[in-house]
Amino acid sequence: MKTKVILPQSLRTLTLLFLLMFLAVIMATGVTSYIATHATVAALVDQRLATISDALISDGQGGLQGVTARVVDASNQRDTADLGYILRGPGGKLLFGNVRLMRTPPAGFSSLDRSAGIAGLTHGRAFVRELGGGASLTTIGETEPIDNYNDARLAIYLLGYGSIVLIVLGGVAAFSLTIGRRISALNTTAMAIINGDLARRVPEGGSRSEFDRQARTFNSMLDRITALMEEIGNVTGDIAHDLRTPLARLRGQLMALQATAIEPVTTRGIRDAIEQCDNILAMFSAILRIGEIEAGNRRAGFALVALADVVAEVADMLAPVAADQGQTLVAQAEPGIEIAGDQALLVQLIVNLVENAIRHTPRGTAIYLSLRRGGGDAIITVQDNGPGIAADRRALALRRFGRIDKARDGGGHGLGLPLAVAISTLHHGSLSLSDAAPGLLVTVKLPLG
Amino acid sequence: MDVLLVEDDTLLSAQLASSLDGFGHRVTVVGDGQAALATVAQTSFDAIVLDRMLPVVDGLSVLARLRQQGISCPIILLTALGRLAEKVEGLDGGADEYLVKPVDPIELNARLSAARRGREWAAPQKDTITVGDIVVSPASHRAWRAGEAIDLSKVEFGILTELARNAGAVVTREMLYERLWGPEFVPTTNLAEAHMRRLRQKLTAGGRNDPILTVRGVGYKIKE
């Protein structure tokens, strides 16, 4: 069974999520270790205060005087002189004190800070032991042996963890930038291939890195596809060539026969046969031509083409043909629309669309050819008010040899529209058929660049 | 014309040779590039019809060597493949014409005449062409009949110019399409007829005789 795990999909979200989690963890670690060190130091100081306090009291040996003597002694000893001592006798009378406190802390352990009023003490611990009858011994130790030690420690923490955060941030940024760049290089190449530039390859470095290995694998895949495409092209070319030669002979023989034929029936029969030969040959030419255009090499020769001129040329060319068929051809072109393209092929594209309308519609049909700008595209439409093509058969009309109605066909080899599609695609454009209610509307969209 | 036909397919060469013979040409047939070069070295020809794919030395190399040797007669390349790139390669290599097989003998004959005329016409004395009472000026895009200007469309003018350039010889529809709209242009309607009808109407306005002959199934010819 496939389990569904919802994970963020984009590289950016993943990176941000990782960074947030990383920051949360690093802050938690920092705060925890800061607090823990603090607590450890306090515990060690407490332990020392308790031990020394025990030794000074020594279960009350020598009475209060004995304790006093030991406290005085301790306050003079090098290893215990850093502590503060306040010894109070019965009734709280001060017997000895090397420090002064603003207020007496409660019995047991407590924390002290600057407010305790001891000079040089910023943070410390106090341990108060009741000795009975109001007498008490207070020992005081610093938890911050050096002034502003805690502030310095905080700064060290911030610097340490901060640099870790910075390094990780930089690393992640570099990482996601590298991956992002590689992915977009792959994308650009794939898009170029889709648009017919089969020679395009992903840039690859000579290293053994995963990226370069992936680029190399991707490029070998493309090489293989190109080789296959070329093979297909060669096979098509070979078939067309190999069939052309025998057809050429057949046509030659028919021509020779025609020259010697006497019976009109035979002459007509031979003429029809020659015509059939010519149709097959025209079909081969069209197949080869579509293949040539689909290969995309023609883009190399693209130049700026003024589309209004192309439309005007086609209208001049075909208006008399339409008129002879009792049809009208009207052209309307928005001036100043230019695209990078192959002028001869663009003429052929529009000729094919208009000829298609002329051949497939009855007398009295009005054909409109128009050129306008729309949404970043040059939009060329050929519309007629003839019988149109049923919605479910339109896709068939764009396919090679997808002739809709062979009986009604007014000539041609059924490759006029597929050739128009190939030319549109060569110009990064599209061709679509729709209902002009009544009639057929062919729309060609060619991006302006 | 003395024509050298270089073609390795014996049946095709026999057919073409017999057709060209029928048009009154004297045809010599050879089957490979080496033989073609050897033959041209000994005999001079008015035109050469050269298959692109030949054994031993291919057609393009033969073409290049002939032009290097200063052979300036019209050369028509024949090919089984009709890709534009190859066509351009052939024409750049010094061929006068590039025809895709199968070649209609009538078309080939028309192209041979056109190629020869093309070479003769290459350095015109004037910028106008005169055929009978028709004068065409390709530079100014104007035409006159019996001294009267005729108002022609761009296509009609193009057709008349091609006919006038090849006066007395047949200009095929394919030749017209090629000259007017480029080597790749293929229409599927009777384009040439529609424009020709209008051109004729304009030329014969006022009861003048029709100077253009239709050669059925082939093309048109303007009377010299």
Side-chain angles (χ1 to χ4, degrees):
Chain A
M1 206 184 88
K2 202 176 156 190
T3 49
K4 201 176 171 185
V5 184
I6 299 166
L7 273 174
Q9 297 295 310
S10 87
L11 187 63
R12 201 229 270 285
T13 324
L14 269 172
T15 313
L16 280 175
L17 204 73
F18 169 77
L19 280 177
L20 278 177
M21 281 170 69
F22 170 75
L23 281 175
V25 167
I26 208 97
M27 275 172 75
T29 314
V31 169
T32 311
S33 68
Y34 182 81
I35 292 169
T37 347
H38 218 80
T40 309
V41 171
L44 287 169
V45 171
D46 285 359
Q47 207 182 348
R48 187 172 170 226
L49 293 180
T51 313
I52 290 175
S53 177
D54 277 349
L56 296 178
I57 291 163
S58 298
D59 295 328
Q61 267 180 32
L64 209 46
Q65 273 184 340
V67 175
T68 309
R70 284 193 290 278
V71 169
V72 171
D73 189 40
S75 75
N76 289 320
Q77 294 270 336
R78 193 191 61 82
D79 59 337
T80 48
D82 62 315
L83 297 184
Y85 306 95
I86 297 168
L87 182 64
R88 288 180 192 280
K93 186 178 169 248
L94 185 69
L95 298 179
F96 174 81
N98 60 351
V99 291
R100 288 173 69 105
L101 280 177
M102 301 291 280
R103 54 194 150 74
T104 313
F109 292 105
S110 57
S111 287
L112 294 178
D113 53 24
R114 285 181 208 276
S115 65
I118 301 169
L121 184 135
T122 47
H123 290 89
R125 297 283 287 172
F127 182 44
V128 180
R129 278 184 78 166
E130 304 281 357
L131 301 174
S136 68
L137 171 64
T138 305
T139 40
I140 295 159
E142 277 187 275
T143 49
E144 211 183 48
I146 302 154
D147 281 355
N148 295 323
Y149 170 70
N150 278 341
D151 289 350
R153 208 167 49 149
L154 194 66
I156 290 167
Y157 267 83
L158 284 178
L159 207 71
Y161 283 105
S163 47
I164 291 176
V165 168
L166 279 180
I167 288 167
V168 170
L169 272 177
V172 167
F175 189 69
S176 66
L177 214 70
T178 311
I179 292 188
R181 205 180 300 138
R182 292 287 183 154
I183 290 175
S184 88
L186 215 65
N187 259 341
T188 314
T189 309
M191 279 316 292
I193 302 266
I194 290 167
N195 287 328
D197 180 7
L198 287 174
R200 187 68 84 86
R201 293 291 179 269
V202 182
E204 44 178 277
S207 80
R208 293 168 57 86
S209 77
E210 289 79 359
F211 292 129
D212 282 338
R213 283 217 305 269
Q214 187 205 34
R216 276 194 289 273
T217 311
F218 193 80
N219 286 345
S220 335
M221 180 183 80
L222 291 178
D223 290 344
R224 179 91 186 104
I225 291 172
T226 311
L228 288 173
M229 295 280 290
E230 268 165 20
E231 243 167 73
I232 291 170
N234 287 342
V235 167
T236 318
D238 288 351
I239 291 173
H241 175 254
D242 288 354
L243 289 178
R244 257 177 181 287
T245 311
L247 266 172
R249 291 196 196 129
L250 177 63
R251 194 183 188 282
Q253 275 171 328
L254 286 170
M255 291 289 288
L257 270 181
Q258 194 182 31
T260 56
I262 302 154
E263 296 266 329
V265 188
T266 322
T267 315
R268 208 176 312 127
I270 294 171
R271 202 183 57 222
D272 288 351
I274 292 174
E275 206 171 290
Q276 294 287 344
C277 255
D278 289 344
N279 282 343
I280 300 170
L281 288 161
M283 210 186 276
F284 283 147
S285 300
I287 295 168
L288 284 170
R289 193 165 177 210
I290 290 174
E292 193 188 352
I293 291 166
E294 280 177 346
N297 304 331
R298 298 284 294 255
R299 290 206 183 99
F302 273 12
L304 270 190
V305 178
L307 288 179
D309 293 353
V310 175
V311 166
E313 181 170 7
V314 175
D316 286 350
M317 197 193 294
L318 292 173
V321 181
D324 286 359
Q325 307 257 357
Q327 300 159 326
T328 52
L329 171 64
V330 177
Q332 196 172 29
E334 192 181 316
I337 304 178
E338 289 189 329
I339 65 161
D342 186 311
Q343 173 132 12
L345 287 180
L346 288 168
V347 168
Q348 183 81 62
L349 162 66
I350 303 175
V351 163
N352 280 15
L353 299 182
V354 176
E355 283 192 327
N356 202 57
I358 291 174
R359 283 193 287 106
H360 294 287
T361 58
R363 294 184 77 83
T365 303
I367 302 162
Y368 297 98
L369 166 63
S370 87
L371 164 71
R372 65 193 156 84
R373 211 184 293 259
D377 291 321
I379 302 174
I380 301 160
T381 59
V382 176
Q383 186 177 346
D384 66 61
N385 57 1
I389 301 176
D392 57 333
R393 318 205 67 175
R394 280 181 209 138
L396 188 69
L398 296 178
R399 260 183 26 211
R400 284 178 213 183
F401 311 116
R403 257 194 291 191
I404 308 292
D405 185 349
K406 287 179 202 270
R408 206 195 56 206
D409 199 316
H413 38 57
L415 288 165
L417 281 179
L419 180 63
V421 172
I423 297 172
S424 305
T425 311
L426 181 77
H427 290 84
H428 306 290
S430 63
L431 186 151
S432 61
L433 303 180
S434 52
D435 195 353
L440 181 68
L441 170 65
V442 188
T443 308
V444 175
K445 288 187 179 176
L446 306 174
L448 287 169
Chain B
M1 266 195 259
D2 285 312
V3 178
L4 174 66
L5 173 61
V6 192
E7 164 66 80
D8 60 321
D9 186 315
T10 47
L11 184 57
L12 262 184
S13 64
Q15 283 173 356
L16 272 183
S18 117
S19 305
L20 290 176
D21 197 54
F23 288 116
H25 302 295
R26 289 163 301 279
V27 186
T28 309
V29 180
V30 292
D32 67 72
Q34 197 96 56
L37 289 167
T39 312
V40 174
Q42 286 164 7
T43 328
S44 78
F45 291 92
D46 297 322
I48 299 169
V49 178
L50 186 60
D51 188 14
R52 188 188 161 120
M53 281 196 234
L54 286 172
V56 196
V57 186
D58 75 288
L60 273 186
S61 309
V62 174
L63 174 66
R65 268 195 242 171
L66 289 177
R67 290 305 188 213
Q68 267 168 25
Q69 287 166 19
I71 307 281
S72 65
C73 72
I75 298 180
I76 296 182
L77 266 184
L78 302 185
T79 179
L81 296 169
R83 301 200 175 157
L84 183 70
E86 288 152 6
K87 213 168 200 167
V88 171
E89 202 178 22
L91 294 177
D92 284 352
D96 293 68
E97 293 275 0
Y98 195 96
L99 295 179
V100 180
K101 284 191 206 171
V103 187
D104 192 319
I106 304 167
E107 181 84 28
L108 179 59
N109 184 46
R111 301 274 179 160
L112 279 172
S113 322
R116 190 170 63 171
R117 273 159 200 279
R119 290 203 165 257
E120 285 164 4
W121 200 80
Q125 309 297 309
K126 306 174 285 182
D127 65 349
T128 55
I129 310 162
T130 307
V131 185
D133 59 354
I134 297 171
V135 178
V136 180
S137 163
S140 65
H141 269 262
R142 305 210 49 189
W144 297 265
R145 183 155 198 204
E148 250 175 71
I150 326 166
D151 191 18
L152 298 176
S153 76
K154 203 178 144 197
V155 178
E156 290 154 8
F157 181 81
I159 294 174
L160 182 61
T161 308
E162 278 314 311
L163 290 178
R165 270 183 190 158
N166 295 284
V170 176
V171 176
T172 65
R173 279 184 211 90
E174 282 71 23
M175 282 162 79
L176 282 179
Y177 295 146
E178 206 177 291
R179 305 290 195 269
L180 266 64
W181 294 295
E184 287 183 293
F185 184 72
V186 185
T188 51
T189 52
N190 51 353
L191 241 183
E193 287 83 343
H195 288 283
M196 190 57 79
R197 188 162 23 250
R198 281 159 183 77
L199 173 62
R200 276 195 163 120
Q201 278 166 8
K202 290 176 183 177
L203 288 174
T204 57
R208 291 198 177 91
N209 70 313
D210 186 353
I212 300 168
L213 281 177
T214 302
V215 185
R216 266 197 71 121
V218 186
Y220 309 91
K221 178 161 104 171
I222 201 161
K223 290 171 235 168
E224 266 181 304

